[in-house]
Amino acid sequence: MSDARAVPDVVDLATARALIATLHDELTKVQHENASLRHQLDVLCQRMFGKKSERVDPRQLQLALEQLANEPGPVSEPVEMDSGETPVRGHQRRRPTGRRPLPPHLPRHRIELDVADADKQCACGHAKTRIGESVSEKLEYQPASFVVIETVRAKYACPVCHDGVVEAPAPPQAVEKSLAGEGLLAHVVVSKYVDHLPLYRLEGIFAREGIDLARTTLCGWVADVATALTPIGDQLRREITAATYLQTDDTSVTVLGDHGGSFKGRLWTYLDPLGQQVVFDATATHERDGPAQILADFRGALQADAYAGYDGLYQSGRVREIGCWAHARRRFVEAFMTDPQAALMVARIQQLYQVERAATDLSVEARRLLRQEQSLPLLGEIDTVRLDLARAVLPKSPLGEAVRYLTNQWTVLQRFVEDGRLAIDNNRAENQLRVVAVGRKNWLFAGSLEGARRAALLYSIVQSCKLVDVPPFAYLKDVLVRLATHPQRLIGQLTPKAWAETVGRQAAAQPSPILSRSQLAGSARSLQYVVCRTLTGCRSSQQGLTTRPRTEWDSNPTHRPAS
């Protein structure tokens, strides 16, 4: 039986030419599909197994440029794959010449060692005189401690008529009737949302120290803290939307459904790079409703990727679109893996970033003038290369797709040169999402959409603390005490930025007290267990806390990560 795919008999020259043309077109199509699939595989392998921040070797760029015969010559610096970072100039680190001194703010516990009395006598018969001392320092670590705080409220009554009993009022609490003190609540939040510890691990850490805190109890505390901090989160949103320049980005997060299963939710970040504040938001989908709701009152410049969900905001006329050169650069760097024609565009974009590095420490107006002088001509050269590539490359090739993205975004990508306040890319917004990317590798999923929204609120708080160099633990512990009595009309005083400008610096500068050496002499593993409680009718059994003697903690294989 003959093969059904066999070439049919050719009876004339015209038929042969038509058949050859058809086969040639089919072969070209298959080759293009094969090249596209190979490129996708290369990019996927790079993202999964390669370094997060990769650089294109300058010699590789030089070779590609020489092959193209467009602009031969050395390229001075490497170009990074986009990872939320800009390339930095190489520099030589000074080799340390000795051990660095220990921080002076740490408490010192002095231990004096004296020589024996017999050695204090000289051979000549006279007593030796102390002429100095040799001091050496050793850095010691003491595990975090637990302390039980008993709040005793005195009661008074008349001894004659036994009437008119009075009692000292209970101190205000951010979380009413909670067994946990503000320090413990702050520690749980920081452990999960700053140090990326899922609560089941924190439960195990506490269990090793002889304290049984159920995971459900820890989840309840996180929810209570989020509820207490909600006014501050709302104030952050108001201040963010009152800004005139924002950067935004989003990432996916797995969320458990109410009726079983899971779905891909989204966490959005809205960064005010000038005001040093950030807000996160959680939505069930990637639809435009999320940004539209958050930015309903925003008026100004919005820097983002080319996501179509922002188009409604741009069309309203109150939001001006600013392009991101990092997203444009990423596509050309990926295309350079398979097509050397991308080398010239990569080199040109690199020169734009060199101007940005030179403008880092300049004022807003000086940065604008420098961009007008140096970046504007570079944009003209990039436009020329873009047009040449658009005529030369296949539209569906990796390089063709990079050129198409650049063409579609060309107008908004040039706007950063008009205003010295604007950044060349929104990498700072992408950096804010790194904490989510690291965290979801540990806690894996959010237990519900409401849990994802609580996570967004707490991320807003702790990340805003980082932007103003405030320790999240010190901030949370202090603010949780203040919230109970702070007027709601003055809630703006408790945002991380405002707190840092007032009481934050003094509170954060105070060193934490540590136990003396004499207290540690009893046992190398002795700890004081800190559980904040009040004697106001709060029962340990109702709050999920029990204590037991210290034993080797046996991990339960049924434990699984959970929010």
Side-chain angles (χ1 to χ4, degrees):
M1 181 180 294
S2 61
D3 190 349
R5 295 175 298 176
V7 178
D9 294 334
V10 179
V11 296
D12 57 68
L13 184 59
T15 303
R17 287 177 176 174
L19 180 60
I20 292 173
T22 301
L23 294 176
H24 179 269
D25 292 343
E26 185 67 23
L27 177 62
T28 303
K29 179 181 177 181
V30 171
Q31 288 176 338
H32 290 166
E33 290 179 352
N34 187 27
S36 176
L37 292 173
R38 286 182 176 273
H39 175 73
Q40 294 178 32
L41 180 61
D42 290 340
V43 172
L44 180 61
C45 290
Q46 170 63 38
R47 291 180 179 177
M48 292 186 64
F49 308 113
K51 295 180 179 179
K52 297 302 180 184
S53 177
E54 298 247 350
R55 300 187 178 188
V56 177
D57 194 305
R59 295 169 296 181
Q60 187 178 3
L61 270 180
Q62 178 183 350
L63 178 61
L65 291 172
E66 290 175 350
Q67 289 176 346
L68 294 173
N70 284 335
E71 190 174 305
V75 179
S76 58
E77 298 182 22
V79 177
E80 290 187 354
M81 292 269 294
D82 179 59
S83 62
E85 301 177 28
T86 11
V88 295
R89 296 175 181 234
H91 61 279
Q92 294 183 348
R93 298 181 181 273
R94 294 187 58 185
R95 192 168 186 175
T97 56
R99 180 181 296 175
R100 291 182 298 176
L102 297 176
H105 69 272
L106 295 178
R108 260 66 174 178
H109 299 281
R110 184 179 178 92
I111 300 178
E112 292 197 8
L113 303 177
D114 206 353
V115 299
D117 292 339
D119 295 333
K120 294 181 181 179
Q121 297 295 324
C122 184
C124 67
H126 293 84
K128 294 182 180 179
T129 304
R130 182 167 179 168
I131 61 173
E133 61 186 21
S134 299
V135 180
S136 61
E137 291 187 333
K138 180 187 296 184
L139 186 62
E140 185 58 277
Y141 172 75
Q142 296 177 10
S145 59
F146 287 87
V147 173
V148 176
I149 299 179
E150 295 185 348
T151 302
V152 181
R153 299 164 57 193
K155 295 182 178 181
Y156 291 87
C158 178
V160 178
C161 62
H162 305 288
D163 196 6
V165 178
V166 294
E167 182 180 7
Q173 292 180 289
V175 180
E176 289 296 333
K177 298 184 179 180
S178 174
L179 183 66
E182 289 76 13
L184 183 56
L185 293 173
H187 173 67
V188 172
V189 171
V190 170
S191 295
K192 180 172 182 180
Y193 295 102
V194 178
D195 300 328
H196 319 297
L197 276 178
L199 296 182
Y200 86 99
R201 291 186 195 167
L202 202 58
E203 177 187 16
I205 293 173
F206 291 156
R208 287 199 303 268
E209 305 305 334
I211 295 188
D212 290 331
L213 282 171
R215 195 183 319 172
T216 54
T217 300
L218 298 178
C219 289
W221 288 352
V222 171
D224 291 340
V225 171
T227 301
L229 295 176
T230 296
I232 299 179
D234 294 340
Q235 178 65 23
L236 277 176
R237 288 195 178 195
R238 288 190 290 268
E239 294 183 6
I240 284 288
T241 54
T244 58
Y245 169 43
L246 294 180
Q247 295 180 349
T248 181
D249 205 353
D250 66 278
T251 189
S252 62
V253 61
T254 302
V255 182
L256 299 186
D258 295 334
H259 306 289
S262 64
F263 60 91
K264 286 292 184 182
R266 308 296 295 189
L267 274 180
W268 307 74
T269 181
Y270 303 92
L271 171 70
D272 178 6
L274 304 179
Q276 298 296 302
Q277 296 188 116
V278 65
V279 163
F280 288 75
D281 185 41
T283 59
T285 65
H286 196 211
E287 298 176 355
R288 66 181 64 188
D289 296 342
Q293 181 180 1
I294 292 292
L295 302 176
D297 298 327
F298 172 70
R299 295 180 179 274
L302 181 65
Q303 191 164 32
D305 55 18
Y307 171 53
Y310 301 118
D311 290 347
L313 294 171
Y314 303 142
Q315 293 169 3
S316 68
R318 56 185 175 80
V319 179
R320 191 164 188 253
E321 181 180 5
I322 308 297
C324 173
W325 273 99
H327 286 83
R329 178 185 62 182
R330 176 185 302 159
R331 287 166 170 77
F332 284 100
V333 174
E334 291 176 351
F336 182 65
M337 297 178 183
T338 56
D339 194 338
Q341 295 183 86
L344 185 57
M345 183 64 78
V346 170
R348 288 286 184 254
I349 296 176
Q350 179 192 19
Q351 292 174 342
L352 279 180
Y353 276 86
Q354 290 174 347
V355 177
E356 292 305 304
R357 287 194 292 272
T360 300
D361 299 326
L362 299 182
S363 65
V364 170
E365 181 61 19
R367 185 180 300 113
R368 186 189 69 83
L369 293 176
L370 181 64
R371 288 172 174 174
Q372 292 288 323
E373 178 184 355
Q374 298 186 19
S375 298
L376 207 54
L378 286 173
L379 289 174
E381 297 176 8
I382 291 176
D383 192 26
T384 301
V385 177
R386 176 182 67 87
L387 296 175
D388 292 341
L389 288 175
R391 290 189 292 265
V393 302
L394 296 172
K396 293 187 177 181
S397 67
L399 184 54
E401 293 178 354
V403 173
R404 183 170 64 253
Y405 180 91
L406 183 63
T407 300
N408 293 339
Q409 293 289 106
W410 183 243
T411 300
V412 298
L413 283 171
Q414 300 178 78
R415 289 177 177 168
F416 79 100
V417 301
E418 303 170 2
D419 190 342
R421 301 175 307 150
L422 305 180
I424 191 174
D425 53 40
N426 72 333
N427 278 348
R428 291 191 61 186
E430 289 191 2
N431 285 343
Q432 292 298 317
L433 291 175
R434 283 187 176 185
V435 65
V436 179
V438 176
R440 68 187 173 199
K441 292 181 179 180
N442 292 274
W443 40 257
L444 300 182
F445 55 81
S448 64
L449 182 58
E450 186 61 31
R453 288 170 177 159
R454 285 197 296 266
L457 170 64
L458 295 173
Y459 275 132
S460 301
I461 299 293
V462 299
Q463 290 300 106
S464 293
C465 285
K466 293 181 182 179
L467 289 174
V468 291
D469 296 326
V470 167
F473 176 82
Y475 168 81
L476 288 172
K477 183 178 179 181
D478 182 76
V479 166
L480 286 173
V481 175
R482 296 174 183 270
L483 272 173
T485 57
H486 198 81
Q488 288 295 313
R489 60 185 177 82
L490 301 177
I491 199 66
Q493 297 176 351
L494 297 185
T495 62
K497 183 179 179 181
W499 186 88
E501 295 171 352
T502 54
V503 300
R505 298 302 182 188
Q506 296 82 0
Q510 295 178 358
S512 300
I514 62 175
L515 301 177
S516 65
R517 189 177 298 271
S518 60
Q519 291 175 294
L520 291 175
S523 171
R525 298 189 61 182
S526 64
L527 286 173
Q528 290 182 326
Y529 300 113
V530 178
V531 178
C532 300
R533 72 176 185 181
T534 60
L535 302 182
T536 58
C538 177
R539 297 181 179 180
S540 299
S541 59
Q542 295 176 350
Q543 297 294 331
L545 173 70
T546 59
T547 58
R548 57 175 172 79
R550 292 176 59 93
T551 59
E552 185 68 23
W553 183 67
D554 183 19
S555 60
N556 189 341
T558 62
H559 283 176
R560 65 186 180 95
S563 296

